[in-house]
Amino acid sequence: MDIKQLKYLIALEQTHNFGQAAARCHVTQPTLSMRLRGLEEELGLPLVRRGQRFEGFTAEGERILAWAHSLLAAHDGLYAEASACRGQLVGTLRLGLVPLGGIDPMRLLGLFARQHPNLRFQLFALSSETIIERLASNQLDLGLAYLERIDRERFDCLELADTGIGLLHDSRHFAITEPELDWQAVAALPLGLLSSGMHFRQSIDHCLRSRGLSPSPLLETDAVHSLLQAVNAGLCCALVPLNSGLDNGNPHLRLTPIGAAHTLAPLGLLMRRAAPRSPLAEACFAAAWELLD
């Protein structure tokens, strides 16, 4: 067994496709398949359910995957620790982000990159629950998540200010000049929202219901990129967090605050307390504390 076999297994978990997993690992599909079969033979267990294409993992494969994540995290952490001992910080920081968090994550990445120019970054758009699970299992180094159900004994937490909500619109399509809007005015507009069940959407629904409002959104999506495309096209306005940075880069976009509008829980930067803990996570968490506290 070698570390590459574990990387191949995790890549398959992330892509659910042999060809895409091979491309991500920069090998051919036959090579990836052969190495995974070799891992199965060495362990004496079937890990992958195969048909004409990838059909999922066996029950044994799911259990082995948990160990693969731990071993790969330990492998990467070992090299990061060695670099830290040499006075360097080298490696890949794995950061989980909730969609439409109330802080521009590029502010954090810019800070980390300036302080530690040899760092690389992997970003994962996930729910708060998944971010917490992956932090606990050492699949992520840091997470930007809502703090509704956080066990403060298991995680170090940098709590951010309450996340305000605003209306994002394109001034070429919507003539909104008020410095602040109320929910009644917002409800009368064609709206684009995150999908029902996502945390930020739950906060919006709560704000509307508490005022007796129940507008039908023109568009619902679980992809922030699609929401921005719809706003740029003039199809709708979007409800997004203030200070998210989503109005940057397009001179026609405007983000107007909505009065007394906040998410149900504050956003926070999380890091697991249990060892082993990556020196990358510790250094970047400390830098974020100085920036955001």
Side-chain angles (χ1 to χ4, degrees):
M1 182 189 305
D2 61 45
I3 203 71
K4 285 186 178 180
Q5 289 171 300
L6 303 182
K7 289 182 178 180
Y8 297 163
L9 192 68
I10 291 171
L12 185 59
E13 178 195 27
Q14 293 171 341
T15 62
H16 294 161
N17 182 282
F18 285 104
Q20 292 177 20
R24 178 172 293 192
C25 296
H26 307 291
V27 296
T28 65
Q29 183 172 332
T31 296
L32 181 132
S33 296
M34 179 185 69
R35 297 302 306 278
L36 289 179
R37 288 193 183 277
L39 179 62
E40 290 176 317
E41 291 173 4
E42 183 174 348
L43 296 175
L45 293 170
L47 305 178
V48 179
R49 293 191 285 111
R50 299 173 176 86
Q52 294 295 322
R53 56 181 62 87
F54 173 74
E55 295 182 354
F57 293 96
T58 63
E60 297 87 350
E62 295 287 354
R63 293 171 64 178
I64 295 301
L65 266 170
W67 283 99
H69 280 291
S70 296
L71 288 170
L72 194 58
H75 173 271
D76 293 343
L78 185 151
Y79 279 94
E81 192 71 50
S83 296
C85 291
R86 297 194 301 270
Q88 304 169 338
L89 204 63
V90 177
T92 300
L93 182 81
R94 303 162 300 168
L95 177 62
L97 307 167
V98 289
L100 292 185
I103 183 174
D104 183 355
M106 296 306 124
R107 287 180 61 205
L108 289 177
L109 296 193
L111 173 69
F112 301 159
R114 287 191 299 273
Q115 293 194 0
H116 309 291
N118 293 317
L119 280 186
R120 300 184 305 276
F121 304 98
Q122 286 184 334
L123 305 182
F124 302 90
L126 305 164
S127 68
S128 292
E129 292 79 7
T130 303
I131 288 172
I132 292 167
E133 290 172 2
R134 293 194 182 184
L135 284 170
S137 60
N138 211 10
Q139 297 179 47
L140 291 174
D141 299 307
L142 297 175
L144 271 172
Y146 292 105
L147 306 181
E148 201 167 24
R149 300 182 183 89
I150 296 299
D151 183 348
R152 303 291 178 123
E153 294 184 357
R154 298 176 62 202
F155 298 98
D156 288 327
C157 175
L158 172 55
E159 186 168 328
L160 310 178
D162 287 341
T163 299
I165 301 174
L167 183 83
L168 184 69
H169 66 280
D170 190 309
S171 59
R172 294 170 297 183
H173 304 287
F174 295 92
I176 298 172
T177 58
E178 295 88 341
E180 185 176 276
L181 297 171
D182 59 32
W183 282 105
Q184 285 75 17
V186 169
L189 294 167
L191 295 177
L193 302 177
L194 284 183
S195 299
S196 180
M198 300 179 75
H199 193 287
F200 187 73
R201 171 65 183 277
Q202 292 174 358
S203 296
I204 291 170
D205 289 345
H206 172 78
C207 289
L208 290 166
R209 282 197 305 268
S210 65
R211 292 162 176 83
L213 301 170
S214 55
S216 298
L218 178 69
L219 179 145
E220 296 180 272
T221 177
D222 61 0
V224 176
H225 178 66
S226 298
L227 202 59
L228 288 176
Q229 285 182 311
V231 171
N232 282 321
L235 184 64
C236 61
C237 305
L239 295 176
V240 304
L242 301 177
N243 304 316
S244 60
L246 294 175
D247 54 331
N248 296 335
N250 184 335
H252 302 292
L253 289 184
R254 304 287 185 270
L255 182 53
T256 303
I258 301 170
H262 298 277
T263 53
L264 293 171
L267 193 74
L269 184 68
L270 302 174
M271 177 176 63
R272 62 184 252 139
R273 287 187 171 180
R277 194 164 71 176
S278 166
L280 306 183
E282 293 176 346
C284 291
F285 189 86
W289 190 278
E290 293 178 6
L291 175 68
L292 302 174
D293 187 35

